[in-house]
Amino acid sequence: MSLTGSPRPADSNRAFGPKGADDIASTASTAPDGKPHHDEVDVIVDAWASVRPGLDTTPLEVLSRISRIARRLDQARNAVFTEHELDGWEFDVMSALRRAGEPFELSPGALVQKTLVTSGTMTNRVDGLERRGFVSRQPSPSDRRGVLVRLTPAGLRAVDAAFDALLHHERRLLAGMDDDARAHLAASLRTLLTAVES
């Protein structure tokens, strides 16, 4: 992945955005009546209830929280990639190659499918990764005119190091949940994602 050029976080908590993980966990807001809210979504839902009392705002209870979590995760992941001098799109391409197993290679078409970008965008991304020495183009043994994109040893080291750091940060985000709670949440989110994607 390429250098982002953005400044590195001052400390590990910066990977969680403007506030550290502990700050986020302890943050609470207060309503006008003095009763504490658990999070900002409660504030939003209560505000809508006060101006539109007959409106069913229950979807916000789930989807607004998912939206806010997604923004926090983007901040966390971008910070991790920046620490490893990578861009997110570079990690996406290299991790797709890494997951393919040895010899860590895929066709450009397979990479397009796995990363959900256009073929033109993928060509540019492979060019950039090749310039950095993270991937190489190899002739396809089954198609004389085709090529395969292969992860180099340098690319393998880079993607593994970034992924290890990413998992470390994301374990911290989930540290307040026990195994059963995480499994239940994963199952619920799987059900929701299946419904949304269908």
Side-chain angles (χ1 to χ4, degrees), residues 40 158 165:
E40 287 299 315

Side-chain angles (χ1 to χ4, degrees), residues 63-129:
L63 300 180
S64 288
R65 287 187 171 95
I66 290 174
S67 177
R68 286 168 175 263
I69 290 169
R71 288 198 295 270
R72 290 290 191 179
L73 284 177
D74 282 344
Q75 292 172 344
R77 288 175 172 179
N78 287 334
V80 169
F81 300 148
T82 297
E83 289 172 358
H84 288 264
E85 300 186 323
L86 301 172
D87 284 332
W89 63 263
E90 292 176 300
F91 179 83
D92 286 345
V93 175
M94 291 201 297
S95 63
L97 294 169
R98 182 66 169 98
R99 294 193 306 271
E102 292 190 45
F104 312 117
E105 64 183 18
L106 291 169
S107 69
L111 282 171
V112 165
Q113 292 179 342
K114 291 180 180 297
T115 59
L116 304 178
V117 299
T118 66
S119 59
T121 296
M122 182 54 63
T123 297
N124 291 334
R125 292 184 173 184
V126 171
D127 287 346
L129 288 168

